[in-house]
């Protein structure tokens, strides 16, 4: 007896459509094997409502390609010697180093043309170039005749204006150098809003219902339904489980077969609705008109659940999938 942890395909598609209403097609970000839920599985749900897909690297591209013929963009550079394989798989490669640029120039000459992605962002964990390096990088791209999709990512709300100003300035630098910029994308889930959509929106955790501050009307696509293993009428149980939480004389509770071993965060035990979360069992108050088995459902808010658990929404989504 185990909890049923699943995704609502209708909600996934509705969320993609909600972001597209902002004014640009959606590129579904399926990194980390679709946030752990299976990239191929998400493609089956989203294929008819998204423009393209985004993955991290060449290995993720190879895993995703059998599931879709649509464009797949990469966030990281191909390992040395593997750019040709990325191109053969129909991936749009990322280029952020001199070595990767040299390999791209050779492939451009061999194939009679090439489009790559270049990210503009000063952040060590991203495969991007710094805004101050745009001029030299653009000159090399122009010399090689490589077309470019420019992109960035707002990694810090506090530095959003700085990041976007650097991105816009880099666009001008690339244009002045004679680089053919064929597309731009700067908005992901948290930064998505009208006026900041460019040519497409990269949406990852937003597909599952997170908003991260964006103004879309999204729905929780996560479902956690746990079987009831025991019921207690008012006054039949004194303590909830681990710790010092009491059940209370006037509350009916159920014990559910689901816990942090299944990815349901222990920190969601708040003493009000969820009284205790153990490795395999959760104690929950029975509320009138509500199904106590539904720990995460359509009425929930992904951002609020994650905040209650002390997590970012990405961590919450991946944590449930990993089981």
């Amino acid at each position: 007896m185990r909890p049923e942890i699943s995704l609502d395909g209708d909600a996934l598609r509705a969320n993609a459509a909600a972001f597209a209403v902002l004014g640009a097609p959606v590129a579904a970000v399926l990194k980390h094997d679709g946030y752990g839920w299976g990239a191929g599985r998400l493609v089956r749900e989203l294929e008819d409502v998204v423009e393209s897909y985004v993955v991290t690297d060449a290995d993720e591209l190879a895993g995703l390609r059998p599931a879709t013929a649509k464009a797949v963009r990469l966030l990281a550079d191909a390992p040395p010697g593997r750019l040709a394989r990325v191109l053969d798989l129909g991936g749009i490669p990322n280029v952020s180093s001199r070595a990767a640029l040299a390999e791209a120039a050779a492939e451009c000459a061999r194939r009679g043309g090439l489009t790559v992605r270049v990210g503009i962002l000063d952040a060590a964990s991203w495969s991007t170039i710094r805004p101050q390096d745009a001029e030299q990088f653009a000159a090399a791209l122009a010399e090689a005749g490589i077309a470019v999709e420019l992109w960035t990512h707002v990694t810090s709300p506090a530095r959003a204006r700085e990041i976007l100003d650097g991105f816009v300035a880099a666009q001008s630098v690339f244009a002045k150098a004679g680089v053919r910029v064929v597309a731009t994308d700067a908005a992901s889930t948290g930064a998505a809003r009208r006026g900041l959509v460019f040519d497409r929106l990269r949406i990852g955790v937003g597909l599952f219902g997170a908003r991260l501050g964006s103004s879309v009307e999204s729905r929780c696509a996560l479902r956690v339904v746990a079987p009831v293993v025991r019921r207690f009428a008012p006054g039949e149980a004194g303590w909830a489980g681990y710790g010092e939480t009491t059940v209370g004389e006037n509350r009916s509770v159920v014990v559910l077969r689901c816990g942090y071993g299944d990815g349901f965060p222990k920190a969601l035990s708040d003493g009000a609705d969820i009284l205790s979360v153990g490795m395999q069992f959760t104690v929950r108050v029975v509320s009138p008109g509500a199904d106590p088995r539904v720990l995460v459902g359509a009425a929930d808010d992904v951002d609020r659940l994650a905040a209650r658990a002390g997590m970012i929404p990405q961590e919450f989504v991946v944590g449930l999938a990993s089981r």
Side-chain angles (χ1 to χ4, degrees), residues 134-135 138 150 165-179 181 184:
E135 186 173 354
L150 278 179
D165 284 349
F167 179 64
V168 172
Q171 285 183 263
S172 297
V173 169
F174 273 62
K176 184 178 179 180
V179 177
V181 177
T184 57

Side-chain angles (χ1 to χ4, degrees), residues 67-277:
T68 180
K70 290 189 174 182
V72 180
R73 295 172 167 84
L74 276 67
L75 293 171
D77 293 5
R82 292 189 63 187
L83 178 60
R85 174 61 173 158
V86 168
L87 296 172
D88 290 343
L89 286 169
I92 303 176
N94 192 76
V95 171
S96 66
S97 70
R98 287 289 177 177
L101 180 52
E103 191 170 350
E107 286 295 329
C108 182
R110 187 169 74 88
R111 296 170 185 260
L114 183 64
T115 297
V116 303
R117 288 174 62 76
V118 176
I120 309 296
L121 180 67
D122 185 356
S125 63
W126 289 80
S127 298
T128 52
I129 65 171
R130 300 179 303 170
Q132 58 265 42
D133 297 329
E135 186 173 354
Q136 288 186 342
F137 214 78
L141 287 162
E143 183 179 355
I146 299 173
V148 170
E149 292 185 358
L150 278 179
W151 65 276
T152 193
H153 191 82
V154 179
T155 54
S156 164
R159 293 189 295 110
R161 177 47 54 195
E162 173 191 341
I163 291 168
L164 292 171
D165 284 349
F167 179 64
V168 172
Q171 285 183 263
S172 297
V173 169
F174 273 62
K176 184 178 179 180
V179 177
R180 187 164 65 94
V181 177
V182 297
T184 57
D185 51 277
S188 55
T189 298
R193 63 179 185 271
R194 291 191 183 275
L196 188 62
V197 295
F198 293 90
D199 292 306
R200 67 184 51 82
L201 290 161
R202 300 189 314 271
I203 304 300
V205 72
L207 298 170
F208 299 90
R211 295 183 302 279
L212 301 180
S214 60
S215 60
V216 297
E217 294 293 330
S218 58
R219 295 158 46 186
C220 178
L222 304 166
R223 301 289 182 268
V224 180
V225 181
V228 175
V229 297
R230 195 171 180 186
R231 294 178 180 269
F232 290 91
E236 287 187 338
W239 301 94
Y242 293 104
E244 305 302 320
T245 303
T246 60
V247 170
E249 293 184 0
N250 299 319
R251 296 197 289 192
S252 299
V253 298
V254 292
V255 180
L256 303 172
R257 177 61 171 84
C258 181
Y260 60 78
D262 302 294
F264 189 71
K266 182 175 178 61
L268 286 179
S269 56
D270 56 9
D273 173 31
I274 306 295
L275 302 185
S276 173
V277 179

